[in-house]
Amino acid sequence: MKQIKKLQRLPVIAVSFLLGICFPIIALLIISHETDISFSVNLFKTAFDNSLFKIILLAPVILPAVSFLLLYFLIDRMNLTIDERNKQIVLVEKVSNFAEAIGKADFNYAHNFDDTNDKLVTSLIQMRDNIRKASEEEQQRRFIITGVSEVGELLRKYPNLKELGDALSAYFSTKLNCIQCAFYLAYESEEREKQEIELISTYAYSRKKYIKGRFKAGEGLVGQAVIEQDQLYRTEIPSNYVTITSGLLGEQRPRAILITPLITNASVYGVIEMASVHPISELHRNFMLQVGSSIARTIFNVTVNERTLKLLSESQQMSSELREQRAQLLQNAEEMEQARIELEKTNAKLENQIIAVNNIQKQQNALLEHASEIVTIVDKDGIIRYQSPSVRHILGYDAETNINQHHTIHVAEDDVEAVNTIFKDAIELPGTSSFIQFRYLKNNGEEIWIESIFTNLLYDTAIQGIVINSRDITGRRMIEKEQRLRGQMQALSENSHDLILRLGTDKKIYYGNPVIQQMTGLTVKSLINAFYPESDLPDYLIAAFDKILEQIHSVQKNVQTEEHFATVEGDKIYTINGIPERDQNGETATVLIVAHDITARKKIEAEIIHKNKSITESIQYSYRIQNALMPTQQTLRHFFPECFMFYRSKDIVSGDFPYIYQKGDNIFIAAVDCTGHGVPGALMSFVGYFTLNQIMNEPKDYSPGQILDLLHERVQKTLKQDTGDTQAKDGMDIALCKINRKHFQIEFAGAHRPLYHYSEGNVTEFKGDKYPIAGMYYKNRQAFTNHSLKVKPNDSIFMNTDGLPDQFGGSDGKQKFMSKRVKELIGTHAANGIGEMEQLFINEFDTWKGPYKQMDDVLLIGIKF
């Protein structure tokens, strides 16, 4: 029986062995039939190294082995009962069908095993799952290998980057089932700190105008992928991303974006961006990573090739130019050889000429050494390169000591700038000459006058400098000056209305102009060289001349005196000036007498003094009238015991005035600033004062704003500004308060002037409207604004005209006191008491003004409740 069982096992073992040997061979033949044999063998070897692929190759071995084990098990169990054998037959049939399905690669076959916990069944299911997994991985590997090969073909086919981008965009859209694809190239930006990414190709973009064509690294999703050098996959799509348009989908935003940077050698050379309405699988993402480096290398190679072609073209152009230059050089060499021969002939002639020139030069040096002129050659920077030997006997310097010095080294300090100006003019005008006279210091310290002519010969190869021809003109200038002064003096003296005499210290008359004849009736000729004490001159002139000579002898400087003379033309008043004229030793040689008739001026001065006195008396009378009309600090204290009024006019009368008026329970207080100061301002103050009284006397209870509106109208009417019949632009600024002491209520309106309210350490400024009472026309003028405020005990209010903030002073007298300073002083010191505030403002104003004049009338009113 055992032998029979053994014989039954032999066919099973033989079949299993044959299947195990033949299956790999059959698999290899099938693959070889479908593909090139070398590719198949290589693929087989590569795949065999993978553990999953080994499972697939061992499947034919495993299946027979399983069948063998199964049959072996069944034969051993032949002694089972018929029912059990039938069950086993059914199970074997199911196992056989399941194994057959696995063999046909039908991994989704639905088995109907009753007992899935059976060890054999469990092993078969697990084996199926492993084979299915290995099969899927093999399909993915084939997908990547095929894709890499296809991309390689495209990279070889398109050497132009634009065409390559178009081809790759279309390929990836089809290969990876993407709806949209874009191809970008990366460039170095001008800043060389960040790359720029430019869109060069798109596929299936229906609206290119909405697609940004250039990014910087780090900008947007594409820029982020570049700067991170990593693939970017997003399923959360930004709202502003391009939508997909199709007949079936309409306009739909993609569900997935894949951005793959093209990297090689740690540098990004481009980016591929894809969008899909479906999620992009990990296989496809890995595929893009694998082909990315190949595309990057191709971009790099194409870029290098383009640069190489450009350099090659430039090199060929340079070679052509060099050939042309070489031909030119050969021609030049021939010409130079001919020139050399001619030069040798010329040199022989020059040697003879040099000998002749040396002889001539010796003669010239002898002439230059004893010449009356100095010849100096300086370079364009003003440095002396040559100076003739004559400088020694003219200026006292050795020519060698001045070489390499600036040409103005000995020029008088006050004339250096003028000499440099002439030098610059000579530099700018080649071939021309410039003339100048200036003072020069000789070697012995004596100051003389030099006349120089600057000639620009920089273009002359023999000289290459500025030639300066100089000569001493001191004597000539002294003669010219003396002649000029004599001529000027003669002309001035002869035509002057003043008496001009030249007296010697010996009391002789050396010169006199015709005025002496008008004063005394004596001719000039009779007085010249006369000893004046013994002449026929009037005694008053002799006494005046003696007085002048004694004073000059005593003080040794100019003197002046005023004398009354009884001349033939009547009584005259003269100012007599005595001017000492000194000789070379500094001693007084002669005295120039200039007597000026000031009789008419004295009469005019007397009239002016008389008129000024009369005007001053009139102004003083106006001052008394203005003082009598205007309220004083005592008037203000009658209503408000704690108050002050800092009132200082610029002139005797003032254009600023305080105004106080009681009407029932209300006290009206104003600080008014009329146009101008002095008499004009005072006249305007009368107009303002009486117009305000006229308004206040009306029975109606006006607010401050209404009062200012009425004041504006009536002042305009008074000055005829409402009819255009006058050119007067006068007006006034005003700060007006209506104070109800019983209810601690204040109303305020202002024309250009503010109200300051101090309460519990805080200062509030109520600004007036920005137009005056009367005066100039304002286009958008409106009714004056009326402000209301409540005050409490110990609160203070302050009003002022612009004379205080507009006062110039400080360290340089050019800065204004300013309203800001007034407000700050109130805020800082108002709590100290109203009496202290008055003295504070007086001291601050006087200190600020200092020695400078007062600019305007000043009025400041302060009241404490």
Side-chain angles (χ1 to χ4, degrees):
M1 192 60 156
K2 290 181 179 180
Q3 290 178 348
I4 293 172
K5 288 182 179 180
K6 288 179 181 181
L7 291 174
Q8 291 174 341
R9 294 172 187 166
L10 288 176
V12 175
I13 294 172
V15 171
S16 300
F17 178 76
L18 288 174
L19 288 174
I21 294 299
C22 295
F23 186 85
I25 296 171
I26 294 170
L28 181 58
L29 291 174
I30 293 170
I31 294 172
S32 300
H33 178 73
E34 296 294 331
T35 61
D36 183 65
I37 185 65
S38 61
F39 173 79
S40 301
V41 172
N42 290 333
L43 179 63
F44 187 84
K45 290 179 179 180
T46 302
F48 192 77
D49 293 334
N50 189 283
S51 58
L52 294 174
F53 191 76
K54 290 177 181 180
I55 295 174
I56 296 173
L57 294 178
L58 294 175
V61 178
I62 295 170
L63 289 174
V66 170
S67 302
F68 169 75
L69 293 173
L70 181 60
L71 293 174
Y72 182 81
F73 172 76
L74 291 175
I75 293 171
D76 284 342
R77 299 284 292 178
M78 290 297 288
N79 54 349
L80 295 175
T81 60
I82 296 300
D83 292 336
E84 289 176 348
R85 287 180 181 177
N86 291 336
K87 290 179 182 180
Q88 292 299 328
I89 290 171
V90 172
L91 179 59
V92 168
E93 186 178 355
K94 289 180 179 181
V95 169
S96 177
N97 292 338
F98 187 63
E100 184 179 357
I102 292 173
K104 293 179 180 180
D106 183 7
F107 300 115
N108 294 321
Y109 177 79
H111 63 80
N112 53 357
F113 295 115
D114 295 330
D115 186 6
T116 57
N117 292 325
D118 185 82
K119 188 173 183 180
L120 177 60
V121 173
T122 302
S123 297
L124 286 173
I125 293 173
Q126 185 177 4
M127 181 183 68
R128 181 209 51 192
D129 293 341
N130 290 337
I131 293 172
R132 176 167 55 190
K133 182 177 180 182
S135 176
E136 290 174 352
E137 290 179 354
E138 174 59 20
Q139 290 176 359
Q140 292 177 1
R141 188 173 294 102
R142 280 186 174 230
F143 175 85
I144 290 174
I145 291 170
T146 304
V148 169
S149 176
E150 292 169 348
V151 169
E153 285 295 325
L154 293 175
L155 296 178
R156 289 188 293 272
K157 184 177 180 180
Y158 297 101
N160 180 274
L161 291 177
K162 178 65 175 68
E163 295 176 354
L164 177 62
D166 292 338
L168 289 175
S169 298
Y171 171 78
F172 287 129
S173 295
T174 305
K175 180 77 174 178
L176 304 185
N177 195 26
C178 291
I179 304 302
Q180 295 172 338
C181 183
F183 185 78
Y184 299 85
L185 286 181
Y187 301 97
E188 291 292 334
S189 69
E190 294 180 357
E191 301 173 359
R192 295 190 174 274
E193 294 180 358
K194 290 186 177 181
Q195 284 184 302
E196 289 188 354
I197 306 98
E198 182 180 6
L199 176 65
I200 66 165
S201 298
T202 59
Y203 183 81
Y205 277 104
S206 63
R207 292 187 288 188
K208 291 188 178 182
K209 62 182 178 180
Y210 297 115
I211 303 170
K212 187 171 181 180
R214 186 178 287 270
F215 299 87
K216 286 186 178 180
E219 182 182 355
L221 295 177
V222 175
Q224 183 181 349
V226 170
I227 202 168
E228 293 179 0
Q229 294 194 4
D230 194 11
Q231 190 181 68
L232 192 66
Y233 178 60
R234 291 286 185 272
T235 55
E236 297 178 359
I237 309 304
S239 59
N240 59 349
Y241 197 80
V242 178
T243 56
I244 299 167
T245 304
S246 72
L248 297 175
L249 298 175
E251 289 199 357
Q252 180 180 352
R253 188 178 296 115
R255 291 183 57 191
I257 300 172
L258 180 65
I259 301 173
T260 304
L262 308 177
I263 303 171
T264 184
N265 297 327
S267 296
V268 177
Y269 290 90
V271 179
I272 294 177
E273 179 186 20
M274 293 183 292
S276 175
V277 294
H278 305 290
I280 299 173
S281 66
E282 184 179 359
L283 170 63
H284 292 174
R285 300 200 297 270
N286 291 336
F287 170 65
M288 291 304 299
L289 287 175
Q290 288 199 28
V291 298
S293 59
S294 299
I295 299 173
R297 284 192 297 272
T298 300
I299 294 172
F300 172 76
N301 292 335
V302 170
T303 304
V304 170
N305 289 341
E306 289 177 352
R307 291 177 183 172
T308 303
L309 290 173
K310 183 178 179 181
L311 291 173
L312 180 59
S313 175
E314 292 175 355
S315 175
Q316 290 173 347
Q317 184 178 355
M318 289 177 63
S319 297
S320 176
E321 293 174 356
L322 286 173
R323 283 193 296 272
E324 292 176 0
Q325 292 174 2
R326 182 174 177 275
Q328 185 65 38
L329 287 173
L330 290 173
Q331 182 180 351
N332 292 342
E334 293 175 359
E335 293 174 356
M336 288 178 66
E337 180 62 21
Q338 294 177 0
R340 186 186 64 79
I341 296 170
E342 293 294 328
L343 185 61
E344 288 178 352
K345 296 178 182 178
T346 305
N347 285 340
K349 295 179 181 179
L350 283 175
E351 288 178 359
N352 296 327
Q353 292 175 356
I354 289 170
I355 295 172
V357 168
N358 287 336
N359 294 330
I360 295 172
Q361 188 173 5
K362 290 177 182 178
Q363 297 173 0
Q364 289 178 343
N365 286 339
L367 291 173
L368 288 172
E369 187 173 354
H370 300 90
S372 61
E373 282 192 358
I374 304 167
V375 179
T376 306
I377 300 176
V378 301
D379 62 18
K380 63 180 180 180
D381 297 321
I383 304 302
I384 298 174
R385 299 305 179 196
Y386 169 81
Q387 198 163 46
S388 63
S390 57
V391 70
R392 182 173 181 81
H393 76 266
I394 296 176
L395 300 177
Y397 299 102
D398 290 329
E400 292 78 10
T401 60
N402 289 335
I403 301 300
N404 295 326
Q405 300 289 338
H406 197 270
H407 70 97
T408 60
I409 184 173
H410 300 302
V411 176
E413 184 178 352
D414 293 340
D415 294 340
V416 169
E417 184 177 353
V419 174
N420 282 331
T421 300
I422 291 295
F423 179 77
K424 290 178 181 176
D425 292 343
I427 289 287
E428 293 174 358
L429 299 171
T432 61
S433 298
S434 302
F435 168 85
I436 187 172
Q437 293 180 353
F438 56 91
R439 290 163 294 176
Y440 200 91
L441 296 178
K442 295 178 66 175
N443 194 26
N444 61 3
E446 179 186 355
E447 186 176 86
I448 64 172
W449 279 91
I450 293 289
E451 180 180 82
S452 294
I453 299 175
F454 290 70
T455 305
N456 186 341
L457 296 178
L458 286 168
Y459 63 90
D460 191 328
T461 55
I463 297 175
Q464 296 182 349
I466 307 295
V467 177
I468 305 174
N469 296 88
S470 306
R471 65 172 60 195
D472 183 358
I473 61 166
T474 307
R476 190 183 80 190
R477 280 184 62 91
M478 289 179 66
I479 295 171
E480 291 173 352
K481 181 179 180 182
E482 185 176 352
Q483 292 174 346
R484 188 169 56 253
L485 288 174
R486 284 179 181 176
Q488 291 174 353
M489 179 64 72
Q490 186 73 22
L492 289 172
S493 176
E494 295 297 329
N495 296 288
S496 175
H497 296 290
D498 295 337
L499 171 64
I500 301 175
L501 297 173
R502 179 174 281 112
L503 305 178
T505 53
D506 56 359
K507 297 188 178 183
K508 283 187 177 182
I509 301 174
Y510 291 103
Y511 172 80
N513 69 345
V515 177
I516 190 68
Q517 187 172 349
Q518 298 173 13
M519 290 181 64
T520 64
L522 302 174
T523 63
V524 176
K525 187 176 181 180
S526 65
L527 294 173
I528 297 300
N529 293 320
F531 185 63
Y532 73 80
E534 298 177 357
S535 68
D536 294 331
L537 288 173
D539 292 339
Y540 63 83
L541 279 178
I542 294 172
F545 294 162
D546 285 341
K547 182 179 178 180
I548 292 292
L549 290 176
E550 288 175 5
Q551 289 180 350
I552 287 177
H553 178 72
S554 175
V555 299
Q556 292 294 314
K557 62 180 182 181
N558 296 358
V559 296
Q560 186 182 61
T561 182
E562 187 175 301
E563 300 291 341
H564 292 259
F565 295 152
T567 69
V568 294
E569 296 177 339
D571 291 338
K572 299 283 186 179
I573 303 173
Y574 281 86
T575 56
I576 302 176
N577 292 284
I579 305 167
E581 297 177 324
R582 307 184 189 282
D583 58 18
Q584 293 181 351
N585 298 321
E587 299 293 334
T588 302
T590 58
V591 175
L592 188 66
I593 301 294
V594 180
H596 180 65
D597 184 359
I598 61 170
T599 306
R601 191 185 76 188
K602 285 291 184 179
K603 288 181 180 179
I604 293 171
E605 286 179 356
E607 291 177 5
I608 291 173
I609 291 170
H610 176 72
K611 289 180 180 178
N612 282 344
K613 182 179 179 183
S614 177
I615 292 170
T616 303
E617 288 175 352
S618 298
I619 294 174
Q620 289 287 358
Y621 187 72
S622 300
Y623 170 72
R624 290 195 295 272
I625 295 173
Q626 189 179 42
N627 254 9
L629 288 175
M630 303 303 173
T632 64
Q633 186 162 299
Q634 290 302 116
T635 310
L636 185 62
R637 282 182 178 165
H638 176 74
F639 300 104
F640 301 98
E642 292 190 77
C643 68
F644 75 87
M645 187 186 296
F646 174 28
Y647 188 24
R648 185 178 296 179
S649 61
K650 180 180 184 296
D651 302 310
I652 297 173
V653 290
S654 173
D656 291 6
F657 69 91
Y659 182 80
I660 302 174
Y661 192 93
Q662 183 177 12
K663 191 172 184 180
D665 293 334
N666 298 315
I667 307 297
F668 290 87
I669 299 176
V672 188
D673 182 1
C674 298
T675 302
H677 45 74
V679 174
L683 290 175
M684 279 299 299
S685 72
F686 290 142
V687 173
Y689 180 82
F690 288 115
T691 307
L692 279 171
N693 277 348
Q694 185 185 42
I695 297 169
M696 294 298 180
N697 288 329
E698 294 179 5
K700 189 172 180 180
D701 184 18
Y702 293 117
S703 69
Q706 293 171 328
I707 292 171
L708 295 192
D709 290 332
L710 291 171
L711 179 63
H712 171 69
E713 293 173 4
R714 295 181 186 183
V715 171
Q716 272 195 324
K717 188 173 182 180
T718 301
L719 299 178
K720 298 181 180 179
Q721 293 175 347
D722 59 336
T723 62
D725 293 341
T726 180
Q727 304 252 336
K729 301 296 182 183
D730 303 292
M732 58 191 72
D733 298 340
I734 182 172
L736 174 64
C737 283
K738 178 181 179 182
I739 303 174
N740 190 306
R741 292 178 297 172
K742 186 182 294 185
H743 298 98
F744 283 85
Q745 180 73 32
I746 296 178
E747 293 183 58
F748 164 76
H752 278 318
R753 302 311 311 148
L755 172 71
Y756 299 106
H757 173 217
Y758 174 83
S759 179
E760 297 178 351
N762 298 314
V763 180
T764 304
E765 179 181 359
F766 294 89
K767 293 185 177 181
D769 292 298
K770 294 183 178 180
Y771 31 84
I773 301 297
M776 296 180 64
Y777 171 74
Y778 283 76
K779 183 177 180 181
N780 297 319
R781 189 182 188 111
Q782 298 177 354
F784 284 96
T785 306
N786 201 70
H787 303 272
S788 296
L789 62 147
K790 275 281 195 179
V791 293
K792 303 187 292 295
N794 295 320
D795 283 7
S796 302
I797 60 170
F798 300 86
M799 295 177 286
N800 66 284
T801 59
D802 62 3
L804 177 59
D806 287 351
Q807 176 62 44
F808 283 99
S811 59
D812 57 2
K814 296 180 180 179
Q815 305 172 57
K816 288 187 177 182
F817 194 87
M818 303 301 288
S819 298
K820 180 181 178 183
R821 184 182 177 91
V822 175
K823 186 175 180 181
E824 288 175 352
L825 288 172
I826 293 171
T828 307
H829 300 280
N832 298 337
I834 207 72
E836 184 175 327
M837 288 292 291
E838 178 181 11
Q839 194 58 46
L840 170 72
F841 274 106
I842 292 172
N843 294 340
E844 287 286 332
F845 179 80
D846 290 337
T847 302
W848 179 261
K849 182 174 76 67
Y852 306 106
K853 69 176 182 178
Q854 183 174 333
M855 303 303 298
D856 198 358
D857 302 318
V858 175
L859 174 60
L860 172 64
I861 299 173
I863 299 172
K864 184 175 181 180
F865 295 94

